[in-house]
Amino acid sequence: MTPRPPAPEQQPPASAGGGQAQPSAPAERSEGVQRAAATSRSARWDHVLTRLATTKRLSVAEVAEQLAVSESTVRRDFVEMERAQLARRTHGGIVAVDVAYSLATVPRTADEGSAQRERVADRAAALVEPGQIIGFNGGRTTTSVARRAVARPDIDSRDGTPGLTVVCAALNIASEAVLRPSVRTVVLGGVAEPYSFELTGPLATATMRDLWLDTMFVGTVGLDISAGLTCNSDAEAGVTRTMIGHSRRVVGLATADKIGHRALAGICPISVLTDLIIAGPVTPELRAHLEESSVRLHEV
């Protein structure tokens, strides 16, 4: 059921001189942005789900105030969110569904490289265009990219067309994307790996053979001029290779500490990439190899 549009805003009271009181320019612009965002149901849901991921509980009154819409509009949104099993209604508000949020939003570890990974994720998410079909293998950096990409305010479904299609080879990324009503989430089948959450095996590969991507984002454990991009699982590498082979654009994601490191299984040569986003100093040898291979380098 499509919710009715929010009730029209009431006109501001007249000033003593007979005219309407005019808000200041900054306040007027701020209110205009809020009202523009609130006209889209998917934008409202994105706002609510993002807040729920951290606060775990929201009231009707506070959401109505934040989005400058009527409380009846918020209540209808909450009813539909509960029907979609995205949240659970309480008296006067909603609470997060723990199963949906725990895997998607809580990082497993935090280390000194997290700031670099976040810079890589920021740049990668900015490469995504509305309406695209994008893919991810598993990993902390790709998870951060997915989180940013699906939360972009310009990703909005129109006329039944998804604002973005995300093809996931990892369960945690799928649970991140499926919370967004404007995003179509495609999950490969197969066996889930316990540490990376990646889906592997013949079923995952067979599913991917029938799918095509605009952009594939590839996280890596190692980045070596001779060995290329590598990871710790040959099963994961096989699925990622299939996804790479079905994508127009292939964006590698790395931090400087990965340079020169080789893991067990090869994913692809560096020359297969169209872009490499990397945080930290790039060695002269790698820079020259990227130039020779016509790989666009994005340093963040």
Side-chain angles (χ1 to χ4, degrees):
M1 179 181 70
T2 303
R4 290 173 293 177
E9 300 290 336
Q10 294 184 353
Q11 295 297 322
S15 64
Q20 290 185 339
Q22 298 297 322
S24 64
E28 189 175 74
R29 285 194 296 270
S30 176
E31 291 175 3
V33 170
Q34 286 181 325
R35 292 193 186 100
T39 58
S40 165
R41 184 183 71 163
S42 62
R44 294 195 306 270
W45 283 32
D46 280 348
H47 172 85
V48 170
L49 292 171
T50 299
R51 291 292 311 280
L52 272 181
T54 55
T55 66
K56 303 300 182 183
R57 182 182 298 271
L58 290 171
S59 71
V60 171
E62 66 179 302
V63 173
E65 181 180 0
Q66 291 163 2
L67 297 179
V69 297
S70 67
E71 291 191 2
S72 61
T73 295
V74 176
R75 289 192 187 93
R76 286 193 294 271
D77 284 345
F78 285 3
V79 168
E80 295 192 15
M81 286 181 181
E82 185 176 53
R83 288 174 181 167
Q85 300 183 2
L86 297 176
R88 185 177 297 110
R89 282 193 300 157
T90 62
H91 180 69
I94 55 172
V95 295
V97 177
D98 291 338
V99 172
Y101 286 93
S102 59
L103 181 61
T105 60
V106 180
R108 296 195 303 275
T109 60
D111 56 36
E112 67 278 0
S114 60
Q116 289 186 332
R117 287 194 295 272
E118 296 308 307
R119 295 205 304 271
V120 171
D122 280 336
R123 177 64 63 87
L127 299 180
V128 175
E129 298 179 7
Q132 282 190 325
I133 304 168
I134 61 176
F136 298 96
N137 65 341
R140 288 176 293 182
T141 306
T142 48
T143 300
S144 294
V145 177
R147 182 176 296 122
R148 284 163 170 73
V150 301
R152 278 178 36 178
D154 59 335
I155 302 300
D156 190 15
S157 57
R158 297 179 181 178
D159 301 324
T161 302
L164 189 68
T165 298
V166 176
V167 179
C168 309
L171 292 175
N172 63 315
I173 294 178
S175 64
E176 187 81 42
V178 76
L179 297 176
R180 306 290 178 170
S182 60
V183 175
R184 175 171 58 185
T185 305
V186 180
V187 185
L188 303 183
V191 178
E193 299 292 325
Y195 298 106
S196 66
F197 306 138
E198 287 200 60
L199 296 163
T200 62
L203 183 57
T205 304
T207 303
M208 190 61 225
R209 289 196 184 111
D210 293 328
L211 304 176
W212 298 93
L213 309 174
D214 294 310
T215 303
M216 173 66 185
F217 293 96
V218 185
T220 182
V221 174
L223 179 65
D224 183 80
I225 291 175
S226 300
L229 281 68
T230 57
C231 67
N232 292 320
S233 167
D234 59 339
E236 293 174 8
V239 175
T240 303
R241 279 195 299 271
T242 303
M243 298 180 77
I244 289 171
H246 282 229
S247 182
R248 289 192 179 96
R249 188 177 188 180
V250 181
V251 181
L253 311 171
T255 50
D257 61 303
K258 308 287 180 69
I259 298 176
H261 179 69
R262 296 184 183 185
L264 171 68
I267 297 173
C268 68
I270 292 175
S271 59
V272 169
L273 303 177
T274 58
D275 304 77
L276 175 63
I277 304 175
I278 191 164
V282 178
T283 63
E285 295 79 11
L286 177 58
R287 192 181 299 275
H289 183 69
L290 293 170
E291 186 174 348
E292 291 170 4
S293 304
S294 300
V295 178
R296 290 184 290 270
L297 175 62
H298 307 257
E299 297 180 75
V300 296

